[in-house]
Amino acid sequence: PEVFKMLFINNQWQDAVSGKTFPTINPATGEVICQVAEADEADVTKAVKAARDAFKLGSPWRRMDASHRGLLLSRLADAIERDSAYLAELETLDNGKPYAVAYSVDLPNVVKCLRYYAGWADKWEGKTIPIDGDFFCYTRHEPVGVCGQIIPWNFPLLMQAWKLGPALATGNTVVMKVAEQTPLTALYVASLIKEVGFPEGVVNILPGMGPSAGAAIARHMDVDKVAFTGSTEVGHLIQQASGNSNLKKVTLELGGKSPNIILSDANMEDAVEQSHFALFFNQGQCCCAGSRTYVQADIYNEFVERSVERAKRRVVGNPFDLSTEQGPQVDQEQFNKILGYISSGKREGAKLMCGGGVAADRGYFIQPTVFGDVQDDMTIAREEIFGPVMQILKFKTLEEVVERANDTKYGLAAAVFTKDIDKAHYVSNGLRAGTVWINCYDVFGAQAPFGGYKASGNGRELGEYGLDNYTEVKTVTIKVPQKNS
Amino acid sequence: EFFVANEMKQTSGSFCPEGRQFNMSSQPDKGHQKQPGNGHTHQDPNQNQNHRPQHVEGPGTPALSMPIPDVHIQYTKLFINNEWHESSSGRKIPVHNPATGELLCEVEEADAEDVDKAVRSARAAFQMGSPWRSMDASDRGHLLNKLADLVERDQLLLATLEALDSGKVFLMAFFVDLMATIKTLRYYGGWADKIHGKTIPIDGEYFTYTRHEPIGVCGQIIPWNFPVMMFAWKIAPALCCGNTVVIKPAEQTPLTALHMAALIKEAGFPPGVVNVLPGYGPTAGCAIAHHMDIDKVAFTGSTAVGKIIQKAAGDTNLKRVTLELGGKNPNIVFADSDLEYAVEQAHSGLFFNQGQCCLAGSRVFVEEPIYEEFVRLSVEKARSKVLGNPLLPGVDQGPQIDQKQFDKIMELIESGKREGATLECGGSAWNQQGLFIQPTVFSNVTDDMRIAKEEIFGPVQQIMCFRSVEEVIQRANATHYGLAAGVFTNDIDKALTVSSALQAGMVWVNCYNAMSAQCPFGGFKMSGNGRELGEYALQEYTEVKAVTIKISHKNS
């Protein structure tokens, strides 16, 4: 199939105004896959203009039946499903995640997410409201307008679907900047967006860098809303840019340092396996990674021992090999940053139980790493590592662990493992996190909302809640001669 | 001679009801745009088409607009547990083409024993742990979507069968009935994983949540006027909520339901989830209504039978009952409305589907200053209707469904004449063969006449005169029915006052029959119980379970 390497604006493929391109790299080898057009401010302005035109009153997109918007999303899901194998391959090439995972986790979830929001398109109902007085009052749920969307490189296709699904179901138009590390699958999906018949300008996709293209979106005076998934650091910049420009609506999905709490009555084998998965899934490159594993004192030693044993068994290697569990980190910068954290862990006195080093002589592979005896004030217990590095901490009482678990600026996800129904509720109610899993981890469904407390973000994606962030509510009040119930 | 319309024939060639032009020789949906809801139970898929670029249209946009010649009728048996069965009694139902009286085929006739069999299979499919019960909600939705795709694939065949079996105009079957069927299935396909329970902040140290669970085995009994569309209206919400179904199509029109059964199997619904039993009301229908192992019954049909269904539930296991029944729907036209448009809408509001609509606007109340002109134009419009073989292009009214309906309509026309209404046009049968009735308009109709009180279910329009808003509200509501109503006015105050005051489940303002899968449908008073379509229909197919768990330390 054709590899799409240009900007997608107004359903057309375009070079960057500047003529610039950037290389996208295969992280398993460090080799350049291809050059991709690099959007900056001039291209953003072009895309916003296309999105604005597509959003004009009377446009095909604005006049379209809501059910037809849903049908287009459904067809996009069908097209992605049809091309799943190719897209999974491209995702693995560009991102480094194991092909088996891309094919069996990322792709089906992309399809499901789009189908889910396809269904919402004609079910996002306003209300009629019994206000006081001789009036008739109703609400219309209208799209916000032109939405800027900036997505990360850890789940390129899935993040694209999470962003497009609710925005398009509710009738917005989109200017999306995809991560410079992983632009290829998003551009392929752009070709499918055109194929299934979305009108021109409804979706525009721009590969580019954060400080240029991303910043241009965030401060654009004609972008009505910006949705960002990425680091908390950049989240601050986005929110500031909105304040400095047109007060565009902002939703943010940011970092986490998510606690995973194992009580001594939990099923040990299951808890070890789930905690391993919670941290190491996707090379540890998950905002919701369970990166503080709190284990109750009486089972602590056994848990650490088994976790180390499990980490040592983790198969690291060529992501196209079907038995591979862990591929490379996404790029040199992340690779260096993670190795830096591992050094700080050793330096600050955590006990390195396994791993800790580079796992191959080329590409960005890091050994699965486990730290025991981690203290709450260590850097590796406070900062987001975003790599295959597990921290195991010890606790004694429920009250203590809830307090320690919440002692972070983040609040994205959390989990508790226990067979005790009372403890499960006590801990899950007490945790300050947008998602709490009980006896499971990383369970996502398009139907269930996802988002952060505190500095982990603002707003929710997925589920019905995800629609709120893409909707303006208009209250219409009509004077009537005489009201009756 | 039969296939050629008589003196009503249009010179303009291709013509269809409600003034919509179809170009028979090319893609039929390229040029026929009218106002929303113009005589259609569902809006056309390509509405707003003039504003839409080509590529926005679906692949479902049909290239063919002609019925399949010499269609082969493939399915004639009972569909139980995803298998085709002969009836226990060995009896069969003769199925006729009402346009010609010709026997199309015989289908197996279900009675109580077959209902038992079907209920057993529906019950087994509903057992805890069954494939259907343990399926992801999103997969239930996906199956409904697949079914919609298959209906789209077979749209031409289904529309042909529908027109043959029910006598409705083929193009209407194709564009209205089938499109509505597809859209309804897709709409509920989307709901399956969006039926949310709640978590509830109850007092005390408890955690409470609700689960929306399927009711169980649902008996569904549907009428002959929109056979395939009613089938979709019934099964789609039931399946999306996770129920299993035993559905009885009308004995007059079983063919499309049986084809749907085959598609249900092809789509991959597990055995027993949907069972389709053609049969008669007093035997199969009655067995469903009385069955002790059916958890819910949904019926669409006459108010007289609705009462029997409700009573049967009371006499047996208190199964849940939803009813969509008759109507004598007021359509109120004020002097300030766009007269020609109102005439056209009132005409299609009554004559659509040979007048065989529970929604038919069968009491047209017209404000005095425009009354005479309104009648004149309505008569003109009625006279222009082309009767004939519903499979042929250019025809816009087919036969009534059967002799019984035909006789009933003729009897009511006689009563109108006898009771002193003015017969403006029509009033008799048309053609020697088949069950055709001339489009009939009565003026000077008074509220106490039978034709103003009883549901005629035929091409007979009653036009009354009124003077004030208060008067017309009072008269419009003076009926046991409360299904639908229309009001035509450009005055926003009148529109809102009248629409608030009317006792009806649907009120259309400056439109009639504007319906879609998203919008609830059902009756006040004796027009029914419960709502179909929209989110509201989900309530009719779910039981709410409140689960409360004792916890130790509640916090907000």
Side-chain angles (χ1 to χ4, degrees):
Chain A
E2 188 180 349
V3 175
F4 297 93
K5 301 178 256 188
M6 293 163 91
L7 314 182
F8 183 75
I9 299 175
N10 218 27
N11 279 7
Q12 288 160 5
W13 298 102
Q14 309 191 357
D15 286 319
V17 171
S18 67
K20 277 197 294 195
T21 61
F22 66 90
T24 185
I25 308 251
N26 175 355
T29 62
E31 287 162 6
V32 174
I33 302 168
C34 63
Q35 292 285 326
V36 175
E38 181 186 338
D40 61 18
E41 181 148 25
D43 306 291
V44 167
T45 297
K46 255 168 92 173
V48 170
K49 169 84 169 51
R52 176 60 60 195
D53 287 346
F55 192 73
K56 282 213 159 49
L57 279 174
S59 74
W61 183 239
R62 294 297 298 278
R63 300 264 303 136
M64 191 179 283
D65 285 340
S67 67
H68 200 87
R69 289 201 305 269
L71 197 56
L72 290 180
L73 275 170
S74 240
R75 292 202 188 121
L76 180 58
D78 292 345
I80 291 175
E81 193 173 51
R82 178 196 68 198
D83 296 346
S84 276
Y86 174 69
L87 276 165
E89 203 178 319
L90 199 57
E91 193 84 318
T92 293
L93 187 70
D94 207 11
N95 164 283
K97 64 176 63 197
Y99 175 79
V101 173
Y103 185 74
S104 66
V105 179
D106 295 58
L107 264 300
N109 280 302
V110 166
V111 171
K112 284 185 173 200
C113 176
L114 294 173
R115 290 211 171 113
Y116 177 76
Y117 280 108
W120 269 121
D122 62 355
K123 300 172 183 68
W124 187 218
E125 297 159 348
K127 301 172 197 277
T128 62
I129 300 174
I131 59 167
D132 293 353
D134 285 331
F135 302 101
F136 166 55
C137 177
Y138 62 88
T139 55
R140 272 167 56 83
H141 288 187
E142 297 186 1
V144 177
V146 176
C147 298
Q149 303 186 318
I150 303 174
I151 60 170
W153 46 259
N154 57 342
F155 294 93
L157 279 168
L158 190 59
M159 291 300 107
Q160 186 184 36
W162 283 23
K163 289 280 183 289
L164 291 180
L168 298 178
T170 47
N172 295 276
T173 59
V174 167
V175 174
M176 172 178 280
K177 186 195 93 63
V178 298
E180 67 272 21
Q181 294 88 344
T182 54
L184 298 182
T185 49
L187 291 174
Y188 187 82
V189 168
S191 78
L192 301 180
I193 284 168
K194 185 173 177 177
E195 176 192 322
V196 301
F198 281 91
E200 291 171 358
V202 171
V203 180
N204 304 278
I205 298 194
L206 307 180
M209 308 293 159
S212 53
I217 288 173
R219 65 168 178 259
H220 203 289
M221 290 301 287
D222 204 27
V223 169
D224 300 301
K225 180 229 162 76
V226 62
F228 170 74
T229 297
S231 71
T232 293
E233 184 191 352
V234 175
H236 280 283
L237 298 177
I238 302 272
Q239 186 97 305
Q240 282 164 9
S242 163
N244 285 334
S245 57
N246 61 345
L247 286 175
K248 56 179 66 66
K249 278 93 187 98
V250 178
T251 50
L252 303 169
E253 301 288 351
L254 309 174
K257 193 72 190 177
S258 301
N260 179 17
I261 300 169
I262 318 298
L263 305 192
S264 52
D265 70 344
N267 176 320
M268 170 67 77
E269 198 180 329
D270 188 48
V272 167
E273 182 58 34
Q274 290 292 314
S275 302
H276 174 83
F277 167 71
L279 185 283
F280 290 98
F281 178 62
N282 208 44
Q283 295 69 246
Q285 302 168 147
C286 297
C287 50
C288 55
S291 54
R292 291 183 292 149
T293 310
Y294 286 98
V295 180
Q296 205 155 20
D298 40 351
I299 60 164
Y300 183 82
N301 289 339
E302 185 187 350
F303 187 93
V304 171
E305 190 181 308
R306 288 194 186 211
S307 294
V308 169
E309 185 194 311
R310 178 65 185 89
K312 284 182 176 162
R313 273 195 286 119
R314 189 167 186 79
V315 181
V316 183
N318 177 358
F320 283 101
D321 187 332
L322 292 183
S323 62
T324 293
E325 292 177 283
Q326 182 176 317
Q329 308 309 123
V330 76
D331 64 9
Q332 185 74 49
E333 186 189 335
Q334 289 292 320
F335 178 81
N336 293 343
K337 186 179 136 197
I338 295 161
L339 291 176
Y341 277 120
I342 292 174
S343 304
S344 91
K346 292 193 256 187
R347 199 168 53 240
E348 293 179 23
K351 191 164 162 196
L352 180 66
M353 306 296 291
C354 69
V358 173
D361 51 13
R362 66 168 193 167
Y364 310 121
F365 293 89
I366 293 179
Q367 293 173 341
T369 300
V370 178
F371 279 112
D373 295 339
V374 178
Q375 303 303 314
D376 292 359
D377 58 350
M378 293 176 180
T379 308
I380 56 169
R382 306 208 65 81
E383 294 184 15
E384 191 172 33
I385 300 174
F386 232 63
V389 187
M390 184 180 198
Q391 289 64 240
I392 310 183
L393 306 90
K394 189 189 290 183
F395 76 92
K396 291 199 175 69
T397 71
L398 288 192
E399 291 71 18
E400 170 207 338
V401 78
V402 169
E403 196 194 316
R404 289 171 61 193
N406 286 337
D407 179 23
T408 165
K409 69 174 178 175
Y410 294 114
L412 194 56
V416 52
F417 284 80
T418 175
K419 284 182 197 152
D420 186 315
I421 190 171
D422 243 14
K423 289 176 184 163
H425 279 111
Y426 174 77
V427 176
S428 61
N429 287 352
L431 290 167
R432 304 278 295 160
T435 296
V436 179
W437 289 294
I438 300 177
N439 295 331
C440 55
Y441 207 97
D442 272 349
V443 176
F444 284 91
Q447 303 89 358
F450 179 79
Y453 280 39
K454 302 193 277 185
S456 285
N458 198 340
R460 291 293 178 273
E461 296 192 277
L462 301 188
E464 184 175 1
Y465 294 89
L467 300 170
D468 288 326
N469 295 320
Y470 288 95
T471 308
E472 292 279 17
V473 176
K474 177 184 283 176
T475 303
V476 181
T477 302
I478 308 178
K479 179 86 181 98
V480 294
Q482 185 197 59
K483 181 178 67 178
N484 279 279
S485 59
Chain B
E1 183 63 22
F2 169 72
F3 296 119
V4 181
N6 60 3
E7 72 279 359
M8 297 175 186
K9 187 177 180 191
Q10 290 280 313
T11 49
S12 61
S14 67
F15 193 77
C16 74
E18 291 76 60
R20 291 175 50 137
Q21 296 286 342
F22 286 81
N23 180 347
M24 303 300 298
S25 57
S26 64
Q27 293 215 340
D29 49 358
K30 291 296 177 230
H32 69 281
Q33 270 326 305
K34 295 294 287 184
Q35 296 83 351
N38 182 21
H40 288 260
T41 46
H42 277 57
Q43 294 186 3
D44 189 274
N46 297 304
Q47 201 198 330
N48 307 331
Q49 121 122 34
N50 295 337
H51 306 278
R52 244 178 230 172
Q54 190 80 16
H55 61 260
V56 181
E57 292 172 23
T61 302
L64 289 169
S65 61
M66 300 297 286
I68 298 176
D70 304 321
V71 66
H72 170 61
I73 295 168
Q74 198 176 351
Y75 304 105
T76 59
K77 294 187 175 176
L78 312 181
F79 183 77
I80 299 173
N81 216 32
N82 278 6
E83 292 156 356
W84 299 102
H85 292 253
E86 281 162 17
S87 66
S88 317
S89 67
R91 283 198 306 267
K92 294 182 195 310
I93 304 172
V95 180
H96 293 101
N97 176 351
T100 61
E102 158 206 11
L103 181 71
L104 291 169
C105 66
E106 292 191 315
V107 304
E108 298 293 322
E109 177 197 334
D111 63 14
E113 211 180 319
D114 305 296
V115 169
D116 273 343
K117 224 161 120 180
V119 170
R120 275 197 303 275
S121 91
R123 176 61 60 195
F126 193 74
Q127 289 303 316
M128 296 283 286
S130 73
W132 183 239
R133 290 300 296 280
S134 54
M135 186 180 284
D136 285 341
S138 66
D139 285 337
R140 288 203 306 270
H142 196 46
L143 285 177
L144 279 168
N145 264 311
K146 272 199 217 161
L147 180 58
D149 292 344
L150 295 176
V151 174
E152 198 166 48
R153 184 195 68 192
D154 291 356
Q155 190 170 355
L156 200 55
L157 173 60
L158 281 160
T160 304
L161 283 177
E162 196 81 320
L164 274 177
D165 200 6
S166 78
K168 65 172 62 201
V169 174
F170 168 76
L171 286 177
M172 289 293 117
F174 190 87
F175 285 108
V176 180
D177 299 61
L178 265 301
M179 203 43 82
T181 299
I182 292 163
K183 286 191 168 196
T184 301
L185 294 169
R186 291 216 171 105
Y187 176 77
Y188 283 107
W191 267 123
D193 61 355
K194 298 171 185 71
I195 304 167
H196 297 150
K198 301 170 195 280
T199 62
I200 299 172
I202 61 164
D203 294 354
E205 302 276 310
Y206 303 103
F207 166 57
T208 292
Y209 62 89
T210 55
R211 276 167 53 84
H212 290 192
E213 299 185 0
I215 296 175
V217 177
C218 299
Q220 304 185 315
I221 304 172
I222 58 173
W224 45 260
N225 57 343
F226 295 94
V228 73
M229 186 175 99
M230 289 295 115
F231 187 90
W233 282 26
K234 287 283 181 290
I235 66 158
L239 299 177
C240 119
C241 296
N243 297 278
T244 59
V245 165
V246 175
I247 187 167
K248 186 192 92 59
E251 68 272 17
Q252 294 90 340
T253 54
L255 300 184
T256 47
L258 292 174
H259 190 83
M260 290 295 287
L263 299 184
I264 282 166
K265 183 174 180 175
E266 184 182 346
F269 284 90
V273 170
V274 179
N275 304 275
V276 184
L277 305 181
Y280 293 96
T283 52
C286 183
I288 288 172
H290 281 92
H291 206 288
M292 290 300 288
D293 203 28
I294 286 182
D295 300 301
K296 181 232 162 79
V297 62
F299 170 75
T300 297
S302 72
T303 295
V305 175
K307 287 179 164 184
I308 296 174
I309 304 272
Q310 183 95 305
K311 198 159 164 297
D315 284 343
T316 56
N317 61 347
L318 287 173
K319 55 178 67 67
R320 284 97 187 88
V321 179
T322 50
L323 303 170
E324 302 287 350
L325 308 175
K328 191 74 189 176
N329 307 294
N331 188 6
I332 300 169
V333 182
F334 285 96
D336 68 350
S337 61
D338 176 338
L339 181 61
E340 277 189 26
Y341 174 70
V343 166
E344 184 190 300
Q345 290 284 300
H347 173 86
S348 60
L350 185 283
F351 289 99
F352 179 60
N353 208 45
Q354 293 69 247
Q356 301 167 146
C357 297
C358 51
L359 292 172
S362 54
R363 291 184 294 150
V364 184
F365 290 97
V366 179
E367 204 171 13
E368 195 183 24
I370 59 164
Y371 183 78
E372 278 182 26
E373 182 66 0
F374 189 96
V375 171
R376 190 183 69 76
L377 290 169
S378 295
V379 170
E380 211 172 86
K381 195 119 190 69
R383 282 191 199 276
S384 74
K385 269 192 123 53
V386 179
L387 277 69
N389 184 334
L391 293 176
L392 289 183
V395 166
D396 48 31
Q397 183 178 316
Q400 307 308 122
I401 185 74
D402 63 11
Q403 191 68 45
K404 189 175 150 201
Q405 289 292 319
F406 179 89
D407 292 344
K408 181 187 137 195
I409 296 162
M410 294 308 297
E411 196 267 324
L412 277 160
I413 291 174
E414 287 310 310
S415 86
K417 296 190 219 169
R418 208 169 45 241
E419 292 181 310
T422 308
L423 179 67
E424 297 277 355
C425 68
S428 23
W430 177 84
N431 200 292
Q432 268 86 43
Q433 193 192 6
L435 304 163
F436 295 87
I437 295 178
Q438 292 178 348
T440 300
V441 177
F442 279 113
S443 67
N444 296 314
V445 178
T446 56
D447 293 358
D448 56 346
M449 293 177 182
R450 282 182 62 203
I451 55 170
K453 293 200 297 197
E454 297 179 22
E455 190 174 35
I456 301 174
F457 233 62
V460 187
Q461 185 177 36
Q462 289 61 241
I463 310 182
M464 291 93 137
C465 183
F466 76 92
R467 287 186 181 78
S468 76
V469 174
E470 293 68 29
E471 173 207 337
V472 77
I473 288 171
Q474 192 269 327
R475 289 171 63 193
N477 285 338
T479 167
H480 293 303
Y481 293 114
L483 194 56
V487 51
F488 285 82
T489 176
N490 281 330
D491 181 322
I492 191 171
D493 280 353
K494 273 186 202 158
L496 292 173
T497 301
V498 174
S499 57
S500 295
L502 288 168
Q503 297 164 351
M506 283 81 58
V507 178
W508 290 295
V509 179
N510 294 333
C511 54
Y512 205 93
N513 277 347
M515 296 168 61
S516 70
Q518 300 91 6
C519 188
F521 175 95
F524 279 38
K525 301 194 280 185
M526 285 175 69
S527 286
N529 199 340
R531 290 294 177 271
E532 297 193 275
L533 300 188
E535 182 174 3
Y536 292 89
L538 302 173
Q539 293 168 22
E540 315 289 354
Y541 287 96
T542 41
E543 292 278 14
V544 176
K545 178 185 281 175
V547 180
T548 299
I549 304 177
K550 179 85 182 97
I551 56 173
S552 37
H553 302 281
K554 185 176 73 172
N555 280 278
S556 60

